[in-house]
Amino acid sequence: MAKSFEFGAFMEKFILQPSSPQQLPLSGLTFAVKDIFDADGYVTGFGNPDWKRTHSAAISTAPAVLDVLRGGATCVGKTVMDEMAYSINGENIHYGTPTNPCAPERVPGGSSSGSAVAVGARLVDFSLGTDTGGSVRVPASYCGILGFRPSHDAVSTSGVIPMAQSLDTVGWFARDPVVLNQVGRVLMHLPNVDPVRPSQIIIPEDCFLLSSIPSDRTTQVLVKSVKKLFGGQILKHVTLGDYVKEKVPSLQHFMSKGNEDHVYNIPSLAAVSSAMQLLLRYEFKNNHAEWVKTVNPNLGPGPSERIWDAIRTPEENIDICHSVQTELRAALTALLEDKGILALPTVPGDPPKLQTNPATVEVFRVIAFSLLSIAGVSGFCQVLFSLTPPPPPPTT
């Protein structure tokens, strides 16, 4: 199939067959993998041609990929990603920007852009991506599909090029919630069990105020659905920013960085984002500074700035970042108690249009990371679903 008919989702096509011909949980399903996962005999490209040129073919396949193959699924290829995973836009100057099947005039989201597009365009049944700061959740949101970022360390990241090990997770995309569930059980080696009724569903009112989407399309739909399924008594409303500020004292270090002046943001959550970004830059530097300095790769705007900023990051205050992680995890555990759910917007609005002014995108990005960093820093899992009906199948 020509690339133009594949929405620009794929880096390369190949077939990896299931390990067994017998009927298995994922039998009959096809999937694709982000070009950050090792596949035996193929060079893992990491979204950049200079990386691909300077690295050898993998000599083994990532355990996460092997798990879904053993679960009965067939891999059909590797997908386009943002350079070195350092963007949530989904644009790549070298390999092209995958076309958002839900909104072709808008970015698909990244860095797992091709994986989300392949699912949204119905080219595969599910796909694998990675999520460090939001790279599964954002493209799932933009492409109108389901996405799942598991709890940190719940799925093996062996055989996956690291970005920041304290934050890295293997995530996945699907259109069908049954498939999303099946893939998760295979990846996390979990038995089939009956759904558990949540003890409470918490709605952080301040987080929804960051969204440009009208409340009749967000909170009102959410509240109505919860009441229909479980009854209104299960709902709880909180101001998450105030709670986090009180329960995560180590954030004071990052509150002094100008977050109080961001009228469009929640200061404590902006501080959580600042801690996450510092930790991400520090660990990215440790992982990739030597290669970047040696090769001086050709990088597109956006990723280039962020990558070189990371390379120049001073090695200080990292212990405070780890304290923020520990405190936020404890705070959310106490808030959610047993079987509680925190329902919040993934991003603050519709995906930016292609070629949007970088300054406008940056404001959107800052708010988005305040929301995304809640799961990212705490290490909690997050499932992404749309409150609006899925788009019709794209035509080719």
Side-chain angles (χ1 to χ4, degrees), residues 36-39 44 58 60-63 65 156-162:
I36 197 171
F37 290 85
D38 285 348
T44 309
S60 62
T61 298
V65 178
S156 172
T157 54
S158 178
V160 181
I161 299 173

Side-chain angles (χ1 to χ4, degrees), residues 265-348:
N265 217 331
I266 299 168
S268 61
L269 299 187
V272 172
S273 174
S274 294
M276 182 181 78
Q277 297 295 339
L278 176 57
L279 184 58
L280 193 159
R281 288 193 299 269
Y282 171 75
E283 294 189 354
F284 183 93
K285 174 183 177 179
N286 286 345
N287 289 322
H288 302 301
E290 182 178 353
W291 180 83
V292 172
K293 290 179 179 178
T294 301
V295 175
N296 191 23
N298 178 19
L299 299 166
S304 177
E305 295 166 12
R306 287 187 284 276
I307 286 167
W308 281 106
D309 281 349
I311 301 305
R312 302 183 187 104
T313 296
E315 299 185 13
E316 57 187 29
N317 300 323
I318 302 305
D319 287 345
I320 300 175
C321 295
H322 290 302
S323 295
V324 170
Q325 284 186 295
T326 301
E327 292 167 7
L328 182 61
R329 190 175 302 119
L332 292 181
T333 299
L335 177 67
L336 296 174
E337 298 176 339
D338 189 30
K339 304 187 183 87
I341 293 174
L342 179 65
L344 72 164
T346 306
V347 289

Side-chain angles (χ1 to χ4, degrees), residues 351-370:
K353 290 185 176 181
L354 294 165
Q355 311 303 322
T356 295
N357 181 286
T360 302
V361 173
E362 183 59 24
V363 171
F364 186 94
R365 185 174 173 274
V366 167
I367 303 173
F369 275 120
S370 290

Side-chain angles (χ1 to χ4, degrees), residues 11 17 27 33 39 43 57 81 86 92 101-102 104 116-117 195 288 310 334 351 359:
M11 281 292 302
Q17 296 285 0
S27 290
V33 298
V43 178
M81 60 175 285
Y86 225 135
N92 189 307
C102 190
V117 167
H288 302 301

Side-chain angles (χ1 to χ4, degrees), residues 18 142 170 177 227-228 244 247 259-260 297 309 329 334 342 374:
Y142 288 2
V170 167
K227 287 181 176 178
K228 182 178 180 180
V244 168
K247 300 294 184 179
N259 292 320
E260 297 279 7
D309 281 349
R329 190 175 302 119
L342 179 65
I374 297 167

Side-chain angles (χ1 to χ4, degrees), residues 195-207:
V196 175
R197 179 186 173 90
S199 59
Q200 56 177 338
I201 295 179
I202 300 170
I203 298 178
E205 301 281 3
D206 50 341
C207 292

Side-chain angles (χ1 to χ4, degrees), residues 156-221:
S156 172
T157 54
S158 178
V160 181
I161 299 173
M163 189 182 189
Q165 287 91 329
S166 293
L167 305 165
D168 289 344
T169 61
V170 167
W172 56 98
F173 303 90
R175 296 181 304 277
D176 184 341
V178 173
V179 173
L180 192 81
N181 179 45
Q182 289 172 325
V183 172
R185 295 197 178 283
V186 167
L187 285 169
M188 294 189 283
H189 308 144
L190 296 174
N192 284 315
V193 294
D194 292 332
V196 175
R197 179 186 173 90
S199 59
Q200 56 177 338
I201 295 179
I202 300 170
I203 298 178
E205 301 281 3
D206 50 341
C207 292
F208 279 97
L209 290 175
L210 294 177
S211 175
S212 63
I213 307 297
S215 62
D216 62 348
R217 290 173 52 196
T218 55
T219 49
Q220 291 180 29
V221 176

